[in-house]
Amino acid sequence: MSTASGDPTTGTADFSATPLADTFFPEEWESGQESVRGEYATEANATEGATAGGTAGGTAGGTERAAEQRQAAAAAAGPAHRPTRGRYRGTSGGYELILRMDVDSVPGGPKVLRKVSGDFFSTGGGTQAYFGSFIVDAPTVSRTGTQVVIRGIASYTWQTAYTLVRVTVPRSRTNQRPGAATVEFLCPPRQLGATYVCPYVSPYFRTVEWEQDSVAGAVPFLSYDTGSLPQPANSPARILTVPRAYAEAGIELLVSGTANVIANNQNGWTNTELHGAMETNFSLWRNAPQWKMWLLVAGSYEGVAGVRGIMFDAADTFQRQGCAVFYDLIQGAGPEEQRAMLRTYVHEIGHAFNLLHSWQKNLATPPAPLGGNNGFADLSWMNYPQNYQPLNGNGGAAAYWGAFPFQFTDNEQLHLRHGFYRNVVMGANAFATGAADIEPALFDEPLTDESGLRLGLRADKSALAFGEPAVVELKLETTDLRGRATHNHLHPDDELVSIAIRQPSGRTVLYRPLLRRCVDQDQTVRLDANRPAIYSSAYIGYGRDGHYFQQPGTYQLRAAYLASDGSRIVSPVLRLDVRHPVSEADLRLGELMMGEEQGKILALRGSDSPALQSGNDALQEVIERHGTHPFAVYARLAKGLNFEHEFKSLSPDKTELTVRPPDPKSGIEQLAQVVKVSQQGKGVDNLTLNLASRRLARAYARQGDLEEANSTLDRLVRHFDTPAFKPYVKDAVRDQADSTKARLTEEFGGG
């Protein structure tokens, strides 16, 4: 809520509002009005009195005669009444009200949710600031031949005594201009507060400007005919574009300008490159809340197989302004590929509107109810087809597409149309709302557990020094000797695993990664006697809410994994202590690691972004002045991974792609130290050591030293070839090393 004084629901009426230019219904919403004229005529007759021919208990012939009489009366009355639904705007006493009416149907238009909502903005001179929002959840609607009156009790984002809302709209015909809505705020039972006269603006509840760029060679999605493949019988066949899919939810996507074509690189895009590309090339971008967003049709994503799209704009204060889809994975001209492309575009843009995945809605603030099977039963754009598990029958992608009506769920449409302004508009509240607080009970153990799976959460150290990066290891294993099949997305960045953190203050927060990558691909793994467990390592010290381990004290962590069948597997509680700094030097070193930019660099595994220069400088100071301190290994890891890899950036005019080539010499200098101290048990965890060793081998191969690359991988295998590791772990490491050797030989040559 704004800090402006006053209350927009009190005061006197202001009838000087100037009507905006008329905005008529899109052609597809106007069509069919005549076919339902009787519906509106019947509503009016029900209020004004039945016609003489409408007697009760008539025969079939009488019913037909009554219908003929109603049709004749409707024809005599002229065109049908225009629905009141849509967006209105008016001013009163220094405030502007954006009103959304959602109480009657539009043929061919969005479903009716029976809500009235609005946003208030305080105005002064040439400035405007958001004040607050309200919603009327269950209004009563009465109609006469001349007006529609909607009444109900509103919920506000602030405290006010004027909780009763009354909206009066004159009834107009489809061939007439829409009438203005008069909105009155009352303190029950009858004390009148402010009154707003709000002329009609649009049939859409909200309008967003959408800017789309694509890399050279990528063909952006245009449209899909839903009748091309089998679909539910109650879902009409239609041509769907991305804007049309949102129009069916009542949201207007206005394509902004032309789709720019920018240079591509075949090696894929990293998280930091995507964020830098948005800040450079999103011409509408501002560090402010606004109804504007950017989508990049990129080539491919580097790092994780199966990533179709990502909402990467979650690393700063003004989030949810940009997302990307990865053409190399989703391309194709056939109907199945086009259908999947449509879903990917709509899905990623849904994240920008602050829509969570179907299985994550209970992690929002406040929590929203999950659908069946922990959300996997939702037929929604925000579910994954391969995750779909109905309450009855078979699940999976084929079942999803056979039942999916190409719509958002009712709760998702409610958010899109009527969610409070800051929870929906791009650049305002962070993803899943503005705070990370969650209800601790969400991570309670299930009352029964017949999943056949067990989740473990551990850390290499039971205590961290102040400023030391927090890294945890996740282990998913089977408890069923017959084996269980599930997905292998165990990293919390893939969003099928959640980690709750109870801080020393008693506040429970959710670790939320900087980027929301959508690993929208079926990756099933079978856990049995031959492979009883899978592992993942995650740095959770920094996320979208900043540093999670900022204060000394005791932290309690718990993870939850959603299995392919919808089972929720909860780990035991992990206790992790952060020690107090014992000297001025400890405090200074901790501060060097705890800056916001340093946190982003560690989470992103390095970056060349100019916006993170001071963070890179701080990490360089750790290396140069405290090179033997345990913290230096983390700074070296981020620097080394970044040096070993190229870094792509786009020119401001979007015509050139600048590629900073890999610097293998600098990469070796840093990564060799990481590997050395970690193999001595003084550095990173074993999973991160595996990653660092393979990237170090790649750096050697880039320099033309395949022999040392292979030796690095051999040392990695020997490190794991001890009784401390299970045989299947040793086999997995050996397979990774062998496949890495083969790739390096193929890419960089060898005799």
Side-chain angles (χ1 to χ4, degrees):
M1 189 176 74
S2 167
T3 57
S5 60
D7 186 332
T9 63
T10 65
T12 58
D14 177 4
F15 294 99
S16 60
T18 303
L20 301 174
D22 240 10
T23 305
F24 293 97
F25 286 102
E27 181 179 350
E28 63 266 26
W29 285 26
E30 289 281 13
S31 62
Q33 291 276 1
E34 296 298 317
S35 64
V36 295
R37 180 183 300 157
E39 172 190 344
Y40 296 106
T42 302
E43 291 174 349
N45 291 341
T47 304
E48 297 166 21
T51 59
T55 57
T59 63
T63 302
E64 292 174 359
R65 285 194 299 275
E68 292 172 356
Q69 290 172 345
R70 287 194 297 271
Q71 292 173 359
H81 283 114
R82 179 185 293 276
T84 62
R85 72 182 291 116
R87 189 165 79 245
Y88 299 72
R89 182 171 66 190
T91 59
S92 177
Y95 293 96
E96 180 180 77
L97 169 61
I98 306 296
L99 177 73
R100 293 175 292 272
M101 302 268 287
D102 189 2
V103 298
D104 48 18
S105 61
V106 176
K111 181 178 180 178
V112 179
L113 298 181
R114 292 189 65 83
K115 309 287 181 184
V116 173
S117 65
D119 303 316
F120 286 104
F121 300 86
S122 59
T123 58
T127 63
Q128 187 180 72
Y130 170 66
F131 183 91
S133 302
F134 74 91
I135 184 170
V136 180
D137 281 314
T140 60
V141 183
S142 60
R143 298 177 175 86
T144 69
T146 59
Q147 66 180 19
V148 178
V149 180
I150 303 103
R151 301 178 181 86
I153 299 297
S155 300
Y156 294 85
T157 56
W158 76 98
Q159 295 295 322
T160 180
Y162 291 80
T163 56
L164 180 60
V165 178
R166 181 170 60 204
V167 184
T168 304
V169 187
R171 300 196 80 175
S172 56
R173 302 287 180 175
T174 55
N175 61 347
Q176 297 174 324
R177 295 166 62 90
T182 300
V183 188
E184 298 168 300
F185 295 90
L186 300 96
C187 178
R190 286 183 291 274
Q191 181 182 345
L192 180 63
T195 298
Y196 293 76
V197 176
C198 300
Y200 175 82
V201 175
S202 171
Y204 296 99
F205 299 103
R206 281 170 166 143
T207 297
V208 176
E209 288 187 74
W210 175 35
E211 182 177 328
Q212 176 181 279
D213 292 341
S214 60
V215 299
V219 181
F221 172 80
L222 294 177
S223 65
Y224 169 68
D225 182 352
T226 67
S228 300
L229 294 168
Q231 61 170 348
N234 60 350
S235 178
R238 59 215 190 267
I239 305 296
L240 278 184
T241 62
V242 174
R244 178 62 189 265
Y246 275 91
E248 291 191 354
I251 304 299
E252 182 180 30
L253 286 186
L254 291 178
V255 178
S256 176
T258 59
N260 298 288
V261 178
I262 61 181
N264 190 24
N265 186 283
Q266 300 304 314
N267 293 332
W269 291 78
T270 65
N271 299 336
T272 51
E273 290 168 351
L274 288 168
H275 195 273
M278 182 193 71
E279 292 186 339
T280 303
N281 296 276
F282 182 17
S283 60
L284 301 175
W285 179 79
R286 287 177 59 213
N287 264 332
Q290 55 177 353
W291 294 109
K292 304 177 192 297
M293 66 163 298
W294 185 66
L295 183 143
L296 175 65
V297 184
S300 62
Y301 179 71
E302 182 183 289
V304 178
V307 177
R308 293 174 176 268
I310 188 169
M311 193 196 76
F312 53 81
D313 184 32
D316 53 27
T317 304
F318 301 94
Q319 302 176 9
R320 299 186 290 104
Q321 297 188 70
C323 58
V325 297
F326 297 108
Y327 179 74
D328 290 356
L329 187 61
I330 66 175
Q331 65 177 309
E336 290 187 358
E337 292 83 3
Q338 291 291 301
R339 180 179 66 183
M341 286 178 72
L342 169 65
R343 199 207 65 82
T344 299
Y345 278 64
V346 175
H347 179 102
E348 297 306 329
I349 291 174
H351 286 322
F353 278 100
N354 216 351
L355 286 175
L356 283 77
H357 286 131
S358 298
W359 61 91
Q360 293 181 304
K361 294 175 181 176
N362 62 325
L363 301 179
T365 306
L370 286 174
N373 274 342
N374 281 321
F376 283 173
D378 276 5
L379 287 166
S380 166
W381 295 108
M382 303 310 296
N383 202 354
Y384 287 173
Q386 75 274 9
N387 282 4
Y388 176 62
Q389 288 292 337
L391 297 177
N392 297 297
N394 295 325
Y400 171 87
W401 289 118
F404 180 48
F406 298 93
Q407 291 177 351
F408 291 100
T409 65
D410 287 355
N411 284 338
E412 290 164 348
Q413 293 191 51
L414 176 62
H415 171 84
L416 291 169
R417 301 182 198 177
H418 303 291
F420 292 152
Y421 171 80
R422 292 192 60 84
N423 291 344
V424 186
V425 66
M426 295 81 197
N429 281 351
F431 195 82
T433 71
D437 296 88
I438 62 168
E439 174 56 50
L442 290 173
F443 283 81
D444 284 349
E445 294 185 28
L447 297 178
T448 60
D449 185 355
E450 298 178 357
S451 65
L453 298 170
R454 180 166 55 220
L455 182 66
L457 181 69
R458 63 178 293 272
D460 272 0
K461 303 176 182 179
S462 61
L464 302 175
F466 175 72
E468 185 173 2
V471 179
V472 295
E473 179 185 287
L474 295 112
K475 175 185 179 181
L476 182 71
E477 60 185 326
T478 181
T479 60
D480 188 340
L481 296 178
R482 297 168 297 178
R484 289 295 173 106
T486 186
H487 63 81
N488 67 351
H489 301 305
L490 197 53
H491 198 286
D493 284 7
D494 297 339
E495 303 206 304
L496 289 161
V497 167
S498 303
I499 298 179
I501 305 168
R502 186 174 180 85
Q503 298 174 328
S505 64
R507 180 187 183 209
T508 301
V509 300
L510 180 70
Y511 165 71
R512 304 192 300 171
L514 286 182
L515 301 105
R516 314 189 67 82
R517 64 190 187 202
C518 292
V519 190
D520 190 1
Q521 191 175 67
D522 187 8
Q523 294 188 12
T524 300
V525 60
R526 182 165 182 82
L527 301 179
D528 52 28
N530 295 322
R531 189 187 187 185
I534 56 175
Y535 299 83
S536 184
S537 174
Y539 166 63
I540 61 169
Y542 187 90
R544 286 200 303 279
D545 306 292
H547 287 279
Y548 293 104
F549 299 85
Q550 294 187 83
Q551 62 187 110
T554 299
Y555 293 76
Q556 293 181 327
L557 288 70
R558 197 167 210 180
Y561 166 91
L562 275 182
S564 294
D565 63 356
S567 299
R568 185 172 62 92
I569 319 301
V570 179
S571 75
V573 173
L574 169 67
R575 176 183 169 131
L576 192 61
D577 292 324
V578 174
R579 297 191 298 266
H580 287 266
V582 297
S583 67
E584 190 68 28
D586 287 344
L587 180 61
R588 169 60 183 158
L589 190 56
E591 290 173 345
L592 281 174
M593 298 292 292
M594 292 286 283
E596 291 297 306
E597 293 184 13
Q598 294 92 302
K600 292 177 184 178
I601 291 170
L602 291 171
L604 297 171
R605 293 178 177 171
S607 174
D608 275 11
S609 173
L612 300 178
Q613 185 59 51
S614 65
N616 272 316
D617 292 343
L619 294 180
Q620 187 63 32
E621 182 178 346
V622 172
I623 294 172
E624 292 178 354
R625 298 186 60 184
H626 310 277
T628 60
H629 193 280
F631 286 6
V633 71
Y634 299 101
R636 293 185 188 278
L637 178 67
K639 290 275 191 177
L641 293 176
N642 191 52
F643 282 134
E644 191 278 324
H645 192 279
E646 66 188 18
F647 190 89
K648 297 179 281 295
S649 57
L650 294 169
S651 62
D653 62 3
K654 308 182 184 182
T655 59
E656 295 183 7
L657 180 72
T658 301
V659 180
R660 187 268 292 155
D663 182 354
K665 181 179 179 180
S666 297
I668 291 169
E669 180 183 355
Q670 303 299 340
L671 291 176
Q673 288 295 315
V674 173
V675 170
K676 179 181 178 180
V677 299
S678 298
Q679 288 179 340
Q680 296 171 351
K682 302 175 183 178
V684 298
D685 64 280
N686 283 310
L687 292 174
T688 305
L689 168 61
N690 186 346
L691 167 68
S693 296
R694 287 183 284 119
R695 291 288 291 272
L696 175 59
R698 186 176 182 85
Y700 280 123
R702 287 188 189 278
Q703 280 201 151
D705 194 347
L706 269 174
E707 182 178 352
E708 185 58 34
N710 290 336
S711 295
T712 299
L713 295 169
D714 290 339
R715 287 192 292 272
L716 173 66
V717 172
R718 288 197 297 272
H719 174 78
F720 282 88
D721 192 15
T722 69
F725 297 98
K726 302 289 186 182
Y728 65 89
V729 174
K730 301 177 190 179
D731 291 342
V733 172
R734 188 176 296 107
D735 289 344
Q736 283 184 319
D738 289 343
S739 62
T740 301
K741 285 181 181 180
R743 286 197 303 271
L744 296 181
T745 299
E746 179 182 0
E747 185 173 355
F748 299 105

